[in-house]
Amino acid sequence: RGIVHGMEGRIDEAVADYTEVLRIDPRNARVYCHRGVAATRQGDVEAALDDYTKAIEIDPAYDRPYFNRGLVYRVQGMLDECIADFSDAIRLNPSNAKAYQNRGLAYEQKQEKAKAQADLAVTREAAAKELWGEAVDMVRLVTAEVLGRAVEPQDDDRLIAEAMEKIRNTERKQS
């Protein structure tokens, strides 16, 4: 319920719901993390940092509170703490491109250009892979439409060539 309240902009109600859940289940790291997000949205930086820290204490393998706390530290200008948290988030979830991006921006603020460039390069590469994946999915959909059957990833090259040949034959017939 707290998540829905937060999505609908009813932050006070979200905080109240999260607090109630934590009264019943005080070892729930995810709820501390969600309440931290709500506190951040309220502008209550201290409460947000407390909740993210508590979530980390409960579940040090959960990457999200490191990431969220890193965001708060970055806004507060606490760059060393910010970089440490984004580094932990990356260690726990190496595919978190947003953590690389934010750590890179923090390095940039600290004038550590080489580290910033390395992290921002990872971010660009991740974005390119995401776009490439979307393009491949679109090609598979078009190929499946042309051939009238599903396209499996292992058959991509052969089926795309078959679809292209079918399109060329259709164009020749129409000419």
Side-chain angles (χ1 to χ4, degrees):
R1 219 172 58 179
I3 293 171
V4 172
H5 287 315
M7 289 171 44
E8 292 176 351
R10 297 189 314 270
I11 308 304
D12 292 339
E13 292 173 50
V15 169
D17 281 351
Y18 295 137
T19 301
E20 179 62 21
V21 171
L22 290 169
R23 188 184 62 72
I24 297 164
D25 183 9
R27 303 281 307 152
N28 192 322
R30 280 164 175 65
V31 174
Y32 274 106
C33 191
H34 286 298
R35 192 173 71 175
V37 170
T40 301
R41 290 181 65 191
Q42 288 178 316
D44 191 346
V45 172
E46 191 172 314
L49 291 174
D50 288 346
D51 279 348
Y52 296 140
T53 300
K54 184 69 174 176
I56 291 165
E57 289 169 2
I58 292 168
D59 186 358
Y62 180 31
D63 68 307
R64 199 69 200 174
Y66 291 102
F67 178 84
N68 290 350
R69 191 173 69 177
L71 290 173
V72 173
Y73 282 148
R74 188 163 156 248
V75 169
Q76 296 297 309
M78 302 170 69
L79 299 178
D80 292 332
E81 293 86 348
C82 159
I83 289 167
D85 274 356
F86 287 130
S87 295
D88 282 331
I90 291 164
R91 177 181 52 80
L92 294 167
N93 181 3
S95 64
N96 186 341
K98 293 284 187 190
Y100 281 100
Q101 178 183 26
N102 281 285
R103 187 177 70 178
L105 294 171
Y107 279 134
E108 211 169 62
Q109 285 178 269
K110 288 187 70 170
Q111 305 299 312
E112 295 184 31
K113 299 294 184 196
K115 290 178 180 179
Q117 288 173 347
D119 277 356
L120 295 174
V122 171
T123 303
R124 285 189 298 277
E125 184 179 316
K129 283 181 183 176
E130 185 177 329
L131 285 174
W132 178 252
E134 290 172 7
V136 168
D137 289 344
M138 184 58 70
V139 168
R140 280 192 190 121
L141 285 172
V142 170
T143 302
E145 178 94 17
V146 168
L147 297 177
R149 64 180 187 268
V151 177
E152 297 299 324
Q154 65 270 18
D155 298 327
D156 280 354
D157 292 341
R158 181 180 57 77
L159 292 176
I160 290 169
E162 186 180 327
M164 292 303 295
E165 184 61 30
K166 190 172 183 178
I167 291 168
R168 279 191 287 278
N169 288 338
T170 302
E171 288 173 346
R172 281 187 209 118
K173 288 178 188 175
Q174 291 176 350
S175 301

